[in-house]
Amino acid sequence: MAKIDSNLVQESFIKYVKVNTRSDPQSTDTPTTPGQVELAKLIVNDLHEIGVSNTIFDSKSGYAVASLASNVSEDISAIGYIAHLDTADFNADNISPQIHYNYDGKDVVLNEKKQVILSPKSFPKLKRHIGETLITTDGTTLLGADDKAGIAEIIGMLKYYVDHPYVKHGPVYVAFGPDEEIGKGAKQFPVQLFPTEFAYTLDNGDLGEMRPETFNSFTSRN
Ligand SMILES: [Zn+2]
């Protein structure tokens, strides 16, 4: 069985984290920052490029939405996948991703000059990723894996379906939305463009982890 194109996922991820999409709780615009519009449009472009033609940027809500038609004759329910465009309230200027291949389980120097070290002493979970590729910042910004990892995974999934039409699926809807970190994006969700009863949000957590709750990072912070 063919696999998801991990190069595409990594390339998309690196490209998306470089767009500053920090949301702004003070702004009254939708989305609250122009970088989020830039990223949404970039995603729409990329989706067209990989052959997902039914793709739009909804300027009213700030959401990019795409769908794949069912490729089975049975009438089965649609499923949705959602990820957010914005990043948390931390420096996101000039994000410079660093790729560390074949991680050896030791300290990772993010920034020699500023002596920023990513250490398994502080983050014991790092030890679970020995032998894997790590992607980090240069220690001066956030990375934005929350939630550009979610976006890149969804792009990888869509490409997989496009390239492997023998893999059967019902209608698939995906949505990439703004201002999740500040609790504003969900209110704008363009329900009329997303006719699904069920959807998954791809946002953090460990590999293989699934939570049934309706998560809202805004209320859980208060
Ligand atoms: Zn998130």
Side-chain angles (χ1 to χ4, degrees), residues 46-63:
D46 285 356
L47 287 169
H48 282 145
E49 226 155 75
I50 63 172
V52 182
S53 51
N54 200 356
T55 302
I56 59 155
F57 171 64
D58 177 42
S59 58
K60 195 165 163 258
S61 64
Y63 276 76

Side-chain angles (χ1 to χ4, degrees), residues 7-210:
N7 287 332
L8 172 79
V9 175
Q10 182 171 313
E11 279 164 26
S12 305
F13 177 74
I14 297 285
K15 183 162 56 166
Y16 300 156
V17 297
K18 288 180 181 171
V19 183
N20 180 343
T21 60
R22 179 179 183 169
S23 43
D24 176 5
Q26 309 305 329
S27 166
T28 52
D29 295 341
T30 304
T32 59
T33 50
Q36 298 184 72
V37 176
E38 189 190 327
L39 178 59
K41 289 182 173 171
L42 181 61
I43 291 168
V44 166
N45 237 1
D46 285 356
L47 287 169
H48 282 145
E49 226 155 75
I50 63 172
V52 182
S53 51
N54 200 356
T55 302
I56 59 155
F57 171 64
D58 177 42
S59 58
K60 195 165 163 258
S61 64
Y63 276 76
V65 182
S67 62
L68 291 178
S70 168
N71 63 4
V72 293
S73 52
E74 301 92 320
D75 185 18
I76 53 175
S77 36
I79 192 83
Y81 297 89
I82 299 166
H84 66 88
L85 301 161
D86 63 320
T87 56
D89 208 14
F90 192 79
N91 182 21
D93 277 328
N94 302 314
I95 292 174
S96 173
Q98 321 281 310
I99 303 178
H100 313 265
Y101 295 101
N102 198 11
Y103 174 53
D104 61 6
K106 297 185 185 143
D107 286 1
V108 184
V109 180
L110 300 187
N111 194 311
E112 180 102 61
K113 233 199 206 146
K114 300 195 166 156
Q115 275 302 297
V116 185
I117 314 280
L118 181 67
S119 172
K121 286 182 209 101
S122 314
F123 301 100
K125 275 187 180 177
L126 278 168
K127 292 266 187 197
R128 291 192 207 159
H129 301 287
I130 291 172
E132 296 177 11
T133 299
L134 300 186
I135 304 177
T136 69
T137 65
D138 64 1
T140 63
T141 65
L142 51 61
L143 180 62
D146 175 3
D147 191 18
K148 284 151 185 177
I151 298 173
E153 285 160 4
I154 292 172
I155 301 278
M157 175 194 72
L158 291 173
K159 175 87 159 86
Y160 177 85
Y161 281 142
V162 168
D163 288 353
H164 305 95
Y166 55 86
V167 177
K168 301 300 176 197
H169 59 81
V172 177
Y173 286 82
V174 305
F176 307 102
D179 295 324
E180 186 265 3
E181 298 286 355
I182 55 172
K184 289 184 172 173
K187 291 192 196 96
Q188 313 289 342
F189 191 85
V191 180
Q192 72 288 354
L193 301 176
F194 204 83
T196 68
E197 275 187 72
F198 301 98
Y200 297 95
T201 297
L202 278 77
D203 194 2
N204 290 315
D206 289 323
L207 272 183
E209 183 186 340
M210 194 169 90

